[in-house]
Amino acid sequence: MASSSKKAFQVEQADLMCKNGCGFYGNPAWFGYCSKCYREYEKFNIGNERERKKASSISETSPRYSPSSSIDKVQRGGTLPAGISTQVKLNDKRTVKKQSTGKSLFRRSSSPVAHNEISGGGSSDEFSEFLKTLKKPVAHDLSMICRRLIERIRNEYLSFSMQQDLVQDCYQSILNKLDSHPAFKHYNEDQYDIIMDNVEKYIMSRLYSNTFCTHNDEERDLSMQSRIRKLRWVSLTHLDTPLNLRHSLINKHLNDAITAAIEINARRTPRDKLTCIVRCCISVMEMLRGANQQPPNADQFLPALIFIIIRSNPPQLHSNIQYITRFAYQQRIMSGETGYYFTNLCCAVSFIDTVNGESLNMSEDEFESLMEGRTRLPVDELDSVYTCEGLENLRTFLDDIKEFSETQERLKDGVTDLRINVKGFGESVVTRVAEMRRKYPLTHQSIDASLDADNVGSEDLPSPIQPTIINS
């Protein structure tokens, strides 16, 4: 397989950034924009209310994030027209304009709400304890904003695009309140993130069943899962990332990455799902670092991540990406380590959905034959295809049995040879003894009994010593 040709999944760092040049990471879900630039882009292009309703209807029948668009399609779409402000600083959340959608959520209520009124489940208890660490007026406002949002989404039939706008406006409203309160003017970005993490966790854990997975998302999940299953034959060799998967350290990081990818669906909040994505990508990085003994680059990372997704086939992958895209605190997925890894995950899913023979440097006939199962991989390429731990252990066990069987056969042959050698040795000894007897026959000679007859003076010798018994 030619390694000199550039693969479709090898993208430059600049390709991952928002194409409007604001400094945040772009996303295929937003046609290459970051979420803030995309909302401005969408607002400008929708126009009048009739077109807005038509766009909302289209978004309900086709998912906003479409892995059917390949990675190079991240660059599609027009640029923002002049006159629309998109200046967003990486470390300043307060430059984002507040949207008008859902203003009624943020009006102060005439009746106070106690902290224990929002309690309900583990996340509610944690959020109540968190509110106690804040100033009372701010804690009261946060609880009211979150409660009104939860009640509205639960009680009203809203489209997912409307739910997304309400949740994102809620986040922005809370940031505006924190920014305008003197008690928080000295807070840094990490402290803001802690507050927003708690807000997001509380809201989305309560709204998970209302906001996760539409009917169309479920159909895309089944389609994606079926396609990934057909791509099980894809090996690291096809992705130009050769690794020794039998190496214990590499295999450990590989299993950790697959476990983290599968665990994404088990989490309820966007932040927890993103944490699993980060763990998965860090394990991929460690796997590549262990193989190359040096920090991996982007051209190595993305193909390895594609391989992990194919081998793990995470459940409801499309729905989880949609859920994070719609309801995560946007600052988290637009910058930093989390944003970089999430953007790469979207690129990996997009590649999987559009991969063809040309992407893997093979003919279309060969690609379709492998996809339909009419052709099997050569034996030498099967070594680079990862299997699950149980099957890997079974294969190791079978290899051990084969080795024991070969050792047993060698021992049996050795015993047979030993018996032949012993028999031949015995026969050779008998033959040798017979030859020696013939060559040197035995002769019997008489012995003279009077050997001491010629001794003189033997009569002067003392008599033998006699034993004496001593009575004690």
Side-chain angles (χ1 to χ4, degrees):
M1 185 174 296
S3 59
S4 60
S5 60
K6 185 177 180 180
K7 294 297 182 99
F9 46 75
Q10 294 179 347
V11 296
E12 301 296 334
Q13 174 71 16
D15 297 334
L16 301 178
M17 307 305 292
C18 174
K19 66 180 182 181
N20 197 49
C22 66
F24 288 122
Y25 285 113
N27 195 302
W30 305 310
F31 307 126
Y33 293 113
C34 68
S35 65
K36 294 179 176 60
C37 294
Y38 176 72
R39 293 179 77 177
E40 293 288 348
Y41 169 82
E42 189 180 45
K43 180 180 178 181
F44 178 83
N45 285 279
I46 287 178
N48 56 42
E49 186 65 24
R50 180 179 179 182
E51 293 176 340
R52 185 184 301 273
K53 291 182 179 180
K54 181 179 179 180
S56 176
S57 175
I58 294 175
S59 66
E60 287 302 306
T61 57
S62 59
R64 181 169 297 184
Y65 170 76
S66 179
S68 60
S69 59
S70 59
I71 294 175
D72 58 346
K73 292 182 182 178
V74 173
Q75 302 298 327
R76 70 181 179 178
T79 58
L80 288 174
I84 296 182
S85 174
T86 58
Q87 298 299 322
V88 185
K89 297 180 181 179
L90 283 174
N91 295 321
D92 192 353
K93 307 179 182 66
R94 295 167 288 180
T95 59
V96 183
K97 294 182 179 181
K98 177 181 177 182
Q99 300 293 323
S100 60
T101 307
K103 288 183 178 179
S104 60
L105 288 174
F106 312 125
R107 296 173 183 168
R108 184 179 296 274
S109 173
S110 58
S111 58
V113 178
H115 290 315
N116 57 6
E117 291 185 17
I118 64 170
S119 299
S123 61
S124 300
D125 296 338
E126 293 177 7
F127 189 64
S128 298
E129 292 299 321
F130 167 73
L131 291 178
K132 293 178 182 178
T133 64
L134 303 177
K135 299 292 184 180
K136 288 187 177 180
V138 177
H140 175 272
D141 290 344
L142 291 184
S143 66
M144 285 299 303
I145 292 173
C146 295
R147 184 184 178 191
R148 286 180 179 274
L149 174 67
I150 293 171
E151 288 179 350
R152 179 172 180 181
I153 293 180
R154 280 183 170 179
N155 297 330
E156 298 182 19
Y157 182 78
L158 302 172
S159 66
F160 275 82
S161 59
M162 180 62 71
Q163 290 179 349
Q164 175 184 355
D165 290 339
L166 290 176
V167 171
Q168 296 301 328
D169 286 340
C170 174
Y171 296 156
Q172 187 59 48
S173 176
I174 291 174
L175 285 174
N176 292 340
K177 287 184 178 296
L178 296 177
D179 183 51
S180 61
H181 198 283
F184 299 95
K185 64 179 181 179
H186 298 299
Y187 269 40
N188 56 33
E189 296 301 316
D190 293 337
Q191 291 171 313
Y192 273 97
D193 289 341
I194 292 175
I195 294 176
M196 296 310 299
D197 286 345
N198 283 274
V199 170
E200 181 198 271
K201 181 178 181 180
Y202 171 68
I203 292 175
M204 298 315 302
S205 61
R206 299 289 296 271
L207 293 176
Y208 180 76
S209 59
N210 301 90
T211 55
F212 183 78
C213 188
T214 66
H215 175 70
N216 291 321
D217 290 341
E218 185 177 1
E219 292 180 349
R220 287 291 299 123
D221 286 330
L222 295 176
S223 175
M224 176 63 67
Q225 194 169 37
S226 176
R227 180 168 179 81
I228 293 177
R229 191 179 298 113
K230 292 179 180 179
L231 289 168
R232 294 278 296 181
W233 53 269
V234 174
S235 67
L236 287 169
T237 304
H238 294 112
L239 302 175
D240 281 351
T241 309
L243 293 174
N244 181 13
L245 299 183
R246 293 182 180 273
H247 190 282
S248 58
L249 183 60
I250 295 177
N251 193 269
K252 175 184 180 301
H253 291 310
L254 188 66
N255 287 325
D256 292 342
I258 290 176
T259 301
I262 296 175
E263 193 177 342
I264 295 173
N265 193 56
R267 303 301 178 184
R268 294 176 64 87
T269 66
R271 180 177 179 271
D272 291 341
K273 292 180 182 293
L274 286 169
T275 300
C276 293
I277 294 174
V278 171
R279 281 174 42 215
C280 173
C281 293
I282 290 177
S283 296
V284 173
M285 287 290 194
E286 293 299 324
M287 178 181 68
L288 294 172
R289 183 178 291 109
N292 302 324
Q293 301 300 320
Q294 59 183 358
N297 54 43
D299 289 342
Q300 296 172 330
F301 172 71
L302 185 55
L305 181 60
I306 293 172
F307 179 74
I308 293 298
I309 298 303
I310 292 176
R311 304 319 300 176
S312 60
N313 199 357
Q316 294 185 291
L317 179 59
H318 172 77
S319 292
N320 281 290
I321 292 178
Q322 282 283 61
Y323 180 70
I324 295 172
T325 301
R326 291 166 177 161
F327 303 110
Y329 174 47
Q330 297 299 304
Q331 185 74 15
R332 187 181 298 113
I333 62 175
M334 292 193 307
S335 60
E337 181 185 48
T338 302
Y340 176 78
Y341 288 146
F342 180 68
T343 302
N344 273 276
L345 175 65
C346 294
C347 291
V349 174
S350 179
F351 173 81
I352 290 173
D353 194 65
T354 59
V355 63
N356 53 27
E358 183 181 0
S359 303
L360 301 177
N361 284 350
M362 62 174 61
S363 65
E364 289 299 326
D365 292 339
E366 182 182 2
F367 176 80
E368 292 298 330
S369 180
L370 288 167
M371 290 291 287
E372 296 173 4
R374 291 184 280 108
T375 303
R376 297 179 62 88
L377 281 175
V379 177
D380 57 342
E381 291 191 27
L382 286 174
D383 292 336
S384 61
V385 177
Y386 172 78
T387 55
C388 67
E389 185 177 2
L391 292 178
E392 184 68 23
N393 291 337
L394 178 59
R395 186 168 66 176
T396 303
F397 180 68
L398 292 176
D399 290 341
D400 292 340
I401 292 179
K402 182 179 179 181
E403 183 179 355
F404 293 152
S405 178
E406 294 174 351
T407 303
Q408 185 180 19
E409 291 297 326
R410 289 196 299 269
L411 289 175
K412 289 174 64 176
D413 294 340
V415 169
T416 303
D417 294 340
L418 180 61
R419 288 176 177 173
I420 295 174
N421 292 335
V422 169
K423 182 178 180 181
F425 177 76
E427 293 175 351
S428 64
V429 169
V430 172
T431 303
R432 183 68 173 171
V433 169
E435 291 177 354
M436 294 300 293
R437 290 184 66 180
R438 288 195 301 268
K439 186 175 181 180
Y440 303 100
L442 296 176
T443 57
H444 298 279
Q445 298 179 357
S446 60
I447 299 175
D448 187 2
S450 59
L451 293 176
D452 297 331
D454 298 335
N455 291 340
V456 179
S458 59
E459 65 275 4
D460 296 329
L461 293 175
S463 59
I465 299 175
Q466 299 295 325
T468 303
I469 299 176
I470 301 175
N471 297 324
S472 57

